Amino acid sequence: MSASCCGEDWRVHATNLKTGAVLRTLSPTTMSWNWTRNNFGYGSLTLEGAPLSHVWPLQTGIFIERISGDDPRIEFGGYSETVDTDESGAVTVGLRAMDDYCNRRYLTGDLSFIKQSQTQILADLVNQIQDGVPLTAVGVPSSVRRTRNYKYTDFTSIGDMFNNMADNIAGPDWLVEHSFTDERKTTITSRIVFSDTLTAGNITVTDSVLESATLAVNGSETASKIFATGGADDDAEPD
């Protein structure tokens, strides 16, 4: 998705990545973001003359809220990964989606799951992250049971763990929800939802050959979302 006009239809919030507290509103000249099947989203912002401290990498959360239309919502949530500037004063911020944060976190001990719901396994993995970032996960009950033994000494990131399972036959898919914790919009939290069947708006996707989707709207259009499910392995057992 991309947008070139942000004033009336979009609001961009910069937060403290560790707490979710909203620090300020940004006014980018351009912005774009992307979702890819069974992968982690990314995006970018361009700002004019913004202090680098307002978008400092790995310390700043970035949330793009659509405020126009009948169903306003946070369309993209993530964090600043890179910041580049030039002699004109333009600042380009490279974004990674909030679920990508799991690629930066690892287990601190071994975990074993014996014939458990695949979606609950992944939710439990994400909820092992205990560094204060307001990111949680939930698993919609799954008909597929799996056995997994994870050793922290393998140094596999939590993001790789759920990405690998999603790539299996009958594997789950995921989406990320973002919400304000109060009416004053002072804090934003994120939640990863793992499910065998994802519903995005009025679109339900249970099986698809869709590899990726890039969505583009102008500021007055209502954005939509597309998600696709993943694929399974020999240990999958239906209830």
Side-chain angles (χ1 to χ4, degrees), residues 94-135:
L95 306 176
R96 300 298 300 185
M98 191 57 74
D99 49 344
D100 185 83
Y101 186 77
C102 297
N103 286 318
R104 297 179 174 274
R105 290 297 175 263
Y106 299 80
L107 296 179
T108 57
D110 296 344
L111 283 178
S112 293
F113 303 93
I114 309 300
K115 294 185 179 180
Q116 293 192 28
S117 164
Q118 62 178 357
T119 53
Q120 190 58 51
I121 290 173
L122 299 185
D124 287 349
L125 287 172
V126 173
N127 291 329
Q128 294 295 312
I129 300 173
Q130 299 291 333
D131 59 3
V133 171
L135 174 66

Tab-separated table of all heavy atoms in Angstrom, residues 94-135:
chain	number	residue	atom	x	y	z
A	94	GLY	N	13.388	3.494	6.912
A	94	GLY	CA	13.048	2.128	6.539
A	94	GLY	C	12.318	1.450	7.682
A	94	GLY	O	12.779	1.484	8.825
A	95	LEU	N	11.171	0.844	7.392
A	95	LEU	CA	10.321	0.255	8.412
A	95	LEU	C	10.284	-1.264	8.300
A	95	LEU	O	10.336	-1.819	7.197
A	95	LEU	CB	8.886	0.785	8.282
A	95	LEU	CG	8.690	2.299	8.269
A	95	LEU	CD1	7.218	2.624	8.031
A	95	LEU	CD2	9.180	2.918	9.570
A	96	ARG	N	10.174	-1.919	9.434
A	96	ARG	CA	9.856	-3.337	9.487
A	96	ARG	C	8.574	-3.503	10.290
A	96	ARG	O	8.360	-2.802	11.282
A	96	ARG	CB	10.974	-4.134	10.154
A	96	ARG	CG	12.312	-4.024	9.458
A	96	ARG	CD	12.295	-4.552	8.038
A	96	ARG	NE	11.915	-5.963	7.970
A	96	ARG	CZ	11.920	-6.687	6.847
A	96	ARG	NH1	12.255	-6.112	5.696
A	96	ARG	NH2	11.572	-7.944	6.871
A	97	ALA	N	7.699	-4.408	9.850
A	97	ALA	CA	6.440	-4.631	10.549
A	97	ALA	C	6.693	-5.186	11.947
A	97	ALA	O	7.737	-5.797	12.213
A	97	ALA	CB	5.560	-5.592	9.743
A	98	MET	N	5.730	-5.005	12.840
A	98	MET	CA	5.941	-5.368	14.235
A	98	MET	C	6.197	-6.851	14.423
A	98	MET	O	6.959	-7.249	15.323
A	98	MET	CB	4.738	-4.925	15.073
A	98	MET	CG	4.978	-5.026	16.567
A	98	MET	SD	6.426	-4.067	17.123
A	98	MET	CE	5.770	-2.405	16.999
A	99	ASP	N	5.595	-7.716	13.595
A	99	ASP	CA	5.870	-9.143	13.747
A	99	ASP	C	7.329	-9.474	13.443
A	99	ASP	O	7.878	-10.453	13.952
A	99	ASP	CB	4.926	-9.995	12.896
A	99	ASP	CG	4.840	-9.527	11.456
A	99	ASP	OD1	5.244	-8.390	11.161
A	99	ASP	OD2	4.326	-10.292	10.611
A	100	ASP	N	7.976	-8.628	12.629
A	100	ASP	CA	9.390	-8.834	12.327
A	100	ASP	C	10.265	-8.687	13.566
A	100	ASP	O	11.398	-9.177	13.593
A	100	ASP	CB	9.833	-7.849	11.239
A	100	ASP	CG	11.270	-8.083	10.797
A	100	ASP	OD1	11.481	-8.971	9.955
A	100	ASP	OD2	12.174	-7.383	11.306
A	101	TYR	N	9.760	-8.020	14.594
A	101	TYR	CA	10.524	-7.894	15.837
A	101	TYR	C	10.881	-9.271	16.395
A	101	TYR	O	11.901	-9.431	17.069
A	101	TYR	CB	9.708	-7.094	16.859
A	101	TYR	CG	10.455	-6.780	18.137
A	101	TYR	CD1	11.407	-5.760	18.177
A	101	TYR	CD2	10.215	-7.499	19.303
A	101	TYR	CE1	12.096	-5.471	19.343
A	101	TYR	CE2	10.893	-7.209	20.479
A	101	TYR	CZ	11.834	-6.204	20.493
A	101	TYR	OH	12.523	-5.919	21.656
A	102	CYS	N	10.037	-10.258	16.102
A	102	CYS	CA	10.300	-11.622	16.577
A	102	CYS	C	11.567	-12.206	15.956
A	102	CYS	O	12.148	-13.156	16.507
A	102	CYS	CB	9.116	-12.525	16.278
A	102	CYS	SG	7.595	-12.044	17.135
A	103	ASN	N	11.993	-11.669	14.824
A	103	ASN	CA	13.243	-12.125	14.220
A	103	ASN	C	14.468	-11.647	14.987
A	103	ASN	O	15.588	-12.092	14.711
A	103	ASN	CB	13.333	-11.652	12.766
A	103	ASN	CG	12.416	-12.432	11.855
A	103	ASN	OD1	12.306	-13.642	11.974
A	103	ASN	ND2	11.754	-11.739	10.938
A	104	ARG	N	14.264	-10.752	15.933
A	104	ARG	CA	15.359	-10.218	16.734
A	104	ARG	C	15.384	-10.812	18.147
A	104	ARG	O	16.178	-10.381	18.975
A	104	ARG	CB	15.252	-8.692	16.828
A	104	ARG	CG	15.382	-7.997	15.488
A	104	ARG	CD	15.258	-6.488	15.611
A	104	ARG	NE	15.521	-5.836	14.347
A	104	ARG	CZ	16.724	-5.484	13.893
A	104	ARG	NH1	17.790	-5.715	14.651
A	104	ARG	NH2	16.879	-4.911	12.727
A	105	ARG	N	14.501	-11.764	18.408
A	105	ARG	CA	14.406	-12.326	19.752
A	105	ARG	C	14.548	-13.842	19.715
A	105	ARG	O	14.085	-14.494	18.777
A	105	ARG	CB	13.089	-11.915	20.413
A	105	ARG	CG	13.051	-10.424	20.756
A	105	ARG	CD	14.132	-10.083	21.775
A	105	ARG	NE	14.239	-8.658	22.085
A	105	ARG	CZ	15.118	-7.838	21.527
A	105	ARG	NH1	15.942	-8.284	20.582
A	105	ARG	NH2	15.179	-6.573	21.898
A	106	TYR	N	15.160	-14.395	20.774
A	106	TYR	CA	15.487	-15.818	20.841
A	106	TYR	C	15.013	-16.393	22.171
A	106	TYR	O	14.809	-15.666	23.143
A	106	TYR	CB	16.993	-16.029	20.690
A	106	TYR	CG	17.532	-15.532	19.373
A	106	TYR	CD1	17.797	-14.167	19.187
A	106	TYR	CD2	17.740	-16.387	18.311
A	106	TYR	CE1	18.259	-13.694	17.973
A	106	TYR	CE2	18.215	-15.926	17.098
A	106	TYR	CZ	18.470	-14.575	16.924
A	106	TYR	OH	18.918	-14.109	15.725
A	107	LEU	N	14.831	-17.692	22.206
A	107	LEU	CA	14.461	-18.358	23.448
A	107	LEU	C	15.594	-18.265	24.459
A	107	LEU	O	16.773	-18.254	24.093
A	107	LEU	CB	14.127	-19.828	23.187
A	107	LEU	CG	12.917	-20.120	22.304
A	107	LEU	CD1	12.763	-21.633	22.128
A	107	LEU	CD2	11.652	-19.516	22.884
A	108	THR	N	15.223	-18.237	25.723
A	108	THR	CA	16.222	-18.255	26.794
A	108	THR	C	16.282	-19.616	27.479
A	108	THR	O	17.050	-19.818	28.413
A	108	THR	CB	15.897	-17.178	27.847
A	108	THR	OG1	14.578	-17.403	28.357
A	108	THR	CG2	15.967	-15.787	27.222
A	109	GLY	N	15.454	-20.553	27.015
A	109	GLY	CA	15.468	-21.915	27.549
A	109	GLY	C	14.780	-22.841	26.569
A	109	GLY	O	14.110	-22.389	25.625
A	110	ASP	N	14.924	-24.162	26.759
A	110	ASP	CA	14.297	-25.136	25.867
A	110	ASP	C	12.786	-25.161	26.074
A	110	ASP	O	12.287	-24.952	27.182
A	110	ASP	CB	14.855	-26.534	26.133
A	110	ASP	CG	16.348	-26.629	25.815
A	110	ASP	OD1	16.872	-25.725	25.127
A	110	ASP	OD2	16.977	-27.614	26.264
A	111	LEU	N	12.060	-25.441	24.981
A	111	LEU	CA	10.606	-25.583	25.043
A	111	LEU	C	10.179	-26.816	24.255
A	111	LEU	O	10.707	-27.072	23.156
A	111	LEU	CB	9.908	-24.352	24.455
A	111	LEU	CG	9.841	-23.070	25.299
A	111	LEU	CD1	9.151	-21.973	24.507
A	111	LEU	CD2	9.095	-23.322	26.594
A	112	SER	N	9.243	-27.577	24.808
A	112	SER	CA	8.709	-28.759	24.129
A	112	SER	C	7.193	-28.683	24.077
A	112	SER	O	6.545	-28.281	25.053
A	112	SER	CB	9.139	-30.040	24.854
A	112	SER	OG	10.529	-30.236	24.755
A	113	PHE	N	6.630	-29.074	22.935
A	113	PHE	CA	5.184	-29.112	22.745
A	113	PHE	C	4.840	-30.481	22.165
A	113	PHE	O	5.356	-30.859	21.107
A	113	PHE	CB	4.735	-28.006	21.786
A	113	PHE	CG	5.119	-26.615	22.226
A	113	PHE	CD1	6.303	-26.035	21.796
A	113	PHE	CD2	4.294	-25.883	23.061
A	113	PHE	CE1	6.659	-24.758	22.191
A	113	PHE	CE2	4.632	-24.599	23.462
A	113	PHE	CZ	5.816	-24.037	23.030
A	114	ILE	N	3.991	-31.229	22.836
A	114	ILE	CA	3.629	-32.577	22.414
A	114	ILE	C	2.181	-32.592	21.949
A	114	ILE	O	1.253	-32.393	22.746
A	114	ILE	CB	3.826	-33.598	23.554
A	114	ILE	CG1	5.236	-33.468	24.159
A	114	ILE	CG2	3.569	-35.015	23.047
A	114	ILE	CD1	6.353	-33.711	23.168
A	115	LYS	N	1.979	-32.799	20.659
A	115	LYS	CA	0.648	-32.891	20.058
A	115	LYS	C	-0.256	-31.756	20.523
A	115	LYS	O	-1.374	-31.975	20.973
A	115	LYS	CB	0.020	-34.253	20.353
A	115	LYS	CG	0.754	-35.404	19.685
A	115	LYS	CD	0.053	-36.734	19.901
A	115	LYS	CE	0.797	-37.856	19.191
A	115	LYS	NZ	0.120	-39.168	19.392
A	116	GLN	N	0.240	-30.552	20.380
A	116	GLN	CA	-0.533	-29.381	20.766
A	116	GLN	C	-1.004	-28.622	19.527
A	116	GLN	O	-0.452	-28.753	18.436
A	116	GLN	CB	0.309	-28.465	21.657
A	116	GLN	CG	0.631	-29.066	23.011
A	116	GLN	CD	1.207	-28.041	23.964
A	116	GLN	OE1	0.929	-26.853	23.875
A	116	GLN	NE2	2.015	-28.513	24.909
A	117	SER	N	-2.018	-27.805	19.710
A	117	SER	CA	-2.540	-26.963	18.637
A	117	SER	C	-1.409	-26.132	18.038
A	117	SER	O	-0.679	-25.447	18.755
A	117	SER	CB	-3.626	-26.044	19.191
A	117	SER	OG	-3.898	-24.978	18.303
A	118	GLN	N	-1.264	-26.199	16.722
A	118	GLN	CA	-0.149	-25.489	16.086
A	118	GLN	C	-0.222	-23.982	16.307
A	118	GLN	O	0.802	-23.311	16.454
A	118	GLN	CB	-0.097	-25.800	14.593
A	118	GLN	CG	-1.306	-25.372	13.792
A	118	GLN	CD	-1.151	-25.662	12.319
A	118	GLN	OE1	-0.111	-26.146	11.852
A	118	GLN	NE2	-2.177	-25.374	11.530
A	119	THR	N	-1.423	-23.439	16.361
A	119	THR	CA	-1.551	-22.000	16.557
A	119	THR	C	-1.186	-21.604	17.986
A	119	THR	O	-0.606	-20.542	18.209
A	119	THR	CB	-2.977	-21.545	16.238
A	119	THR	OG1	-3.910	-22.338	16.985
A	119	THR	CG2	-3.280	-21.697	14.749
A	120	GLN	N	-1.505	-22.467	18.947
A	120	GLN	CA	-1.150	-22.156	20.328
A	120	GLN	C	0.348	-22.271	20.546
A	120	GLN	O	0.933	-21.530	21.337
A	120	GLN	CB	-1.900	-23.070	21.293
A	120	GLN	CG	-1.755	-22.648	22.748
A	120	GLN	CD	-2.236	-21.235	22.983
A	120	GLN	OE1	-3.353	-20.884	22.581
A	120	GLN	NE2	-1.409	-20.397	23.618
A	121	ILE	N	0.995	-23.214	19.853
A	121	ILE	CA	2.456	-23.327	19.937
A	121	ILE	C	3.098	-22.003	19.543
A	121	ILE	O	3.971	-21.475	20.243
A	121	ILE	CB	2.974	-24.458	19.033
A	121	ILE	CG1	2.565	-25.835	19.588
A	121	ILE	CG2	4.500	-24.386	18.882
A	121	ILE	CD1	2.904	-26.992	18.666
A	122	LEU	N	2.649	-21.451	18.421
A	122	LEU	CA	3.264	-20.218	17.931
A	122	LEU	C	2.965	-19.042	18.847
A	122	LEU	O	3.832	-18.201	19.094
A	122	LEU	CB	2.782	-19.931	16.510
A	122	LEU	CG	3.135	-21.012	15.476
A	122	LEU	CD1	2.715	-20.575	14.088
A	122	LEU	CD2	4.621	-21.340	15.497
A	123	ALA	N	1.747	-18.985	19.366
A	123	ALA	CA	1.414	-17.916	20.299
A	123	ALA	C	2.285	-18.006	21.547
A	123	ALA	O	2.788	-16.989	22.054
A	123	ALA	CB	-0.063	-17.984	20.670
A	124	ASP	N	2.500	-19.224	22.058
A	124	ASP	CA	3.342	-19.396	23.242
A	124	ASP	C	4.776	-18.960	22.964
A	124	ASP	O	5.439	-18.375	23.836
A	124	ASP	CB	3.326	-20.860	23.695
A	124	ASP	CG	2.010	-21.252	24.349
A	124	ASP	OD1	1.201	-20.349	24.644
A	124	ASP	OD2	1.791	-22.463	24.554
A	125	LEU	N	5.264	-19.220	21.753
A	125	LEU	CA	6.627	-18.805	21.401
A	125	LEU	C	6.755	-17.284	21.437
A	125	LEU	O	7.697	-16.741	22.013
A	125	LEU	CB	6.996	-19.331	20.018
A	125	LEU	CG	7.270	-20.829	19.903
A	125	LEU	CD1	7.422	-21.223	18.434
A	125	LEU	CD2	8.529	-21.216	20.685
A	126	VAL	N	5.805	-16.591	20.813
A	126	VAL	CA	5.867	-15.130	20.785
A	126	VAL	C	5.763	-14.569	22.199
A	126	VAL	O	6.469	-13.612	22.560
A	126	VAL	CB	4.754	-14.553	19.898
A	126	VAL	CG1	4.712	-13.025	19.999
A	126	VAL	CG2	4.959	-14.980	18.443
A	127	ASN	N	4.919	-15.172	23.021
A	127	ASN	CA	4.724	-14.660	24.370
A	127	ASN	C	5.902	-14.943	25.296
A	127	ASN	O	5.896	-14.509	26.456
A	127	ASN	CB	3.422	-15.215	24.952
A	127	ASN	CG	2.191	-14.648	24.260
A	127	ASN	OD1	2.206	-13.497	23.797
A	127	ASN	ND2	1.135	-15.423	24.177
A	128	GLN	N	6.918	-15.631	24.774
A	128	GLN	CA	8.161	-15.781	25.528
A	128	GLN	C	8.965	-14.486	25.555
A	128	GLN	O	9.881	-14.329	26.368
A	128	GLN	CB	9.032	-16.893	24.909
A	128	GLN	CG	8.445	-18.285	25.001
A	128	GLN	CD	8.327	-18.772	26.418
A	128	GLN	OE1	9.267	-18.675	27.196
A	128	GLN	NE2	7.165	-19.308	26.769
A	129	ILE	N	8.642	-13.572	24.646
A	129	ILE	CA	9.368	-12.306	24.593
A	129	ILE	C	8.964	-11.465	25.797
A	129	ILE	O	7.816	-11.060	25.929
A	129	ILE	CB	9.063	-11.551	23.280
A	129	ILE	CG1	9.474	-12.408	22.081
A	129	ILE	CG2	9.781	-10.206	23.254
A	129	ILE	CD1	9.071	-11.820	20.742
A	130	GLN	N	9.901	-11.201	26.663
A	130	GLN	CA	9.600	-10.516	27.926
A	130	GLN	C	10.504	-9.301	28.120
A	130	GLN	O	11.089	-9.114	29.168
A	130	GLN	CB	9.777	-11.494	29.105
A	130	GLN	CG	8.875	-12.700	29.071
A	130	GLN	CD	7.407	-12.367	29.304
A	130	GLN	OE1	7.096	-11.371	29.959
A	130	GLN	NE2	6.510	-13.173	28.767
A	131	ASP	N	10.640	-8.493	27.065
A	131	ASP	CA	11.528	-7.333	27.179
A	131	ASP	C	10.767	-6.013	27.200
A	131	ASP	O	11.347	-4.952	27.003
A	131	ASP	CB	12.565	-7.324	26.063
A	131	ASP	CG	11.943	-7.298	24.673
A	131	ASP	OD1	10.699	-7.232	24.592
A	131	ASP	OD2	12.691	-7.332	23.689
A	132	GLY	N	9.468	-6.088	27.441
A	132	GLY	CA	8.702	-4.864	27.614
A	132	GLY	C	7.998	-4.348	26.384
A	132	GLY	O	7.101	-3.515	26.485
A	133	VAL	N	8.398	-4.791	25.192
A	133	VAL	CA	7.739	-4.320	23.978
A	133	VAL	C	6.286	-4.792	23.987
A	133	VAL	O	6.011	-5.965	24.253
A	133	VAL	CB	8.476	-4.851	22.731
A	133	VAL	CG1	7.683	-4.547	21.467
A	133	VAL	CG2	9.858	-4.228	22.640
A	134	PRO	N	5.320	-3.897	23.730
A	134	PRO	CA	3.901	-4.260	23.804
A	134	PRO	C	3.448	-5.101	22.618
A	134	PRO	O	2.657	-4.661	21.771
A	134	PRO	CB	3.203	-2.902	23.855
A	134	PRO	CG	4.126	-1.981	23.129
A	134	PRO	CD	5.512	-2.466	23.447
A	135	LEU	N	3.970	-6.314	22.548
A	135	LEU	CA	3.642	-7.257	21.481
A	135	LEU	C	3.268	-8.585	22.115
A	135	LEU	O	4.062	-9.171	22.860
A	135	LEU	CB	4.835	-7.438	20.536
A	135	LEU	CG	4.686	-8.514	19.453
A	135	LEU	CD1	3.591	-8.126	18.453
A	135	LEU	CD2	6.023	-8.729	18.736
